[in-house]
Structures are given as C-alpha cells and as structure tokens.
Amino acid sequence: MEFFNKVGSSISNKSKDVARKAKEIAEVSNLNNQINAQEDIINKICLEIGKTVYNKRDLFPDTELEEKYTTASNAYAEIARLKSKIIFVKGAKQCPGCGIEVPLTSSFCPDCGAAVPAPEPEPTVENIVIPPDSIIYYPNDPTK
C-alpha cells in the first residue's frame, strides 16, 4: 500500500510541476506578445519619422543620409514608372493632375477635372536592312 501512496504522491507532484510549467510558458508567451506589440509601435513610429525626415530633406540636408535620400527618391520614381506602365498595359491613360487611371475616351479627369491629353503613340521601329558589304568581320583572336 505504501508503494501506491508513493506512486500517487509522485504522480501528483509531477502533475503540479507540469501545471506550473504550463502556466509559466503561457505567461512568458503573453509577455513576448506584449513586447512584439511595443516593437511594432516603435517600428511604425520610426517609419513615420523617417518619412517626415525624407519629405523635409531639402530643409535639413544631411550628408550622412544623402545616399539613402537618393535611393528612396529613385525607388519612388521607379514605382511611379511602373504604375504608369500598368495603366498603359490596361489600355488607359494617367491624369497628369492627380495620377489616377482615366479611360482613353475621357478628355478630362473625373476626379480632379484636369485636362487629360491622349497618350503619345509608341514609336515604331522600322526594319533596317544592313548591306553585307558594310559589315566588318574581325578574325578570331589566336590567343583565345
């Protein structure tokens, strides 16, 4: 009988340890989630600070940040180019005033009222014929 009492006591102690460990893990997980939420707030604020500094870069030039300013400006320009290309691929045109997509049949932007000119046609490439006697052939390099 004493054996069963020891086994029962041991099982009881182990289950209490498991329950304590589970409670500890849950509390640590909760605290880590709170830390992550605070880090998200910091990251969002730092992003806003960075955008504010970037937008005021002309007022406060900083040689240390100049390369980053240039990289960001280039990325914004590339985004604008790609968005224009998307509008072109969709068979529409872009308002020069507000930048929204406007149907090709519209002369004015429905959003801001700006005049929207017809898009310029793509330049055509003609077939160029190169006479055989104008091609210069170089002999193979014997050192290669």
Side-chain angles (χ1 to χ4, degrees), residues 1 3 17 30 33 40 48 56 74 77 82 85 90 104 111 121:
M1 191 68 171
F3 170 76
D17 287 345
N30 184 4
N33 287 338
D40 287 344
E48 289 174 17
K56 296 181 179 184
N74 290 341
L82 293 170
K85 194 169 184 175
K90 290 167 71 177
L104 285 175
D111 196 48

Side-chain angles (χ1 to χ4, degrees), residues 17-99:
D17 287 345
V18 168
R20 184 182 51 76
K21 253 318 189 195
K23 184 178 177 184
E24 178 184 306
I25 289 171
E27 190 172 347
V28 167
S29 177
N30 184 4
L31 292 170
N32 280 326
N33 287 338
Q34 290 178 37
I35 289 170
N36 289 336
Q38 294 304 312
E39 288 174 341
D40 287 344
I41 290 170
I42 290 168
N43 288 335
K44 192 174 187 178
I45 289 172
C46 286
L47 182 62
E48 289 174 17
I49 290 169
K51 285 182 179 181
T52 301
V53 169
Y54 173 78
N55 289 333
K56 296 181 179 184
R57 66 191 178 281
D58 293 336
L59 299 175
F60 307 103
D62 186 336
T63 55
E64 198 174 313
L65 296 175
E66 194 61 41
E67 184 178 336
K68 290 180 182 5
Y69 290 156
T70 302
T71 302
S73 295
N74 290 341
Y76 280 124
E78 180 63 5
I79 288 169
R81 185 189 73 78
L82 293 170
K83 285 182 177 180
S84 292
K85 194 169 184 175
I86 288 171
I87 290 171
F88 176 77
V89 168
K90 290 167 71 177
K93 55 187 176 178
Q94 189 171 19
C95 172
C98 65

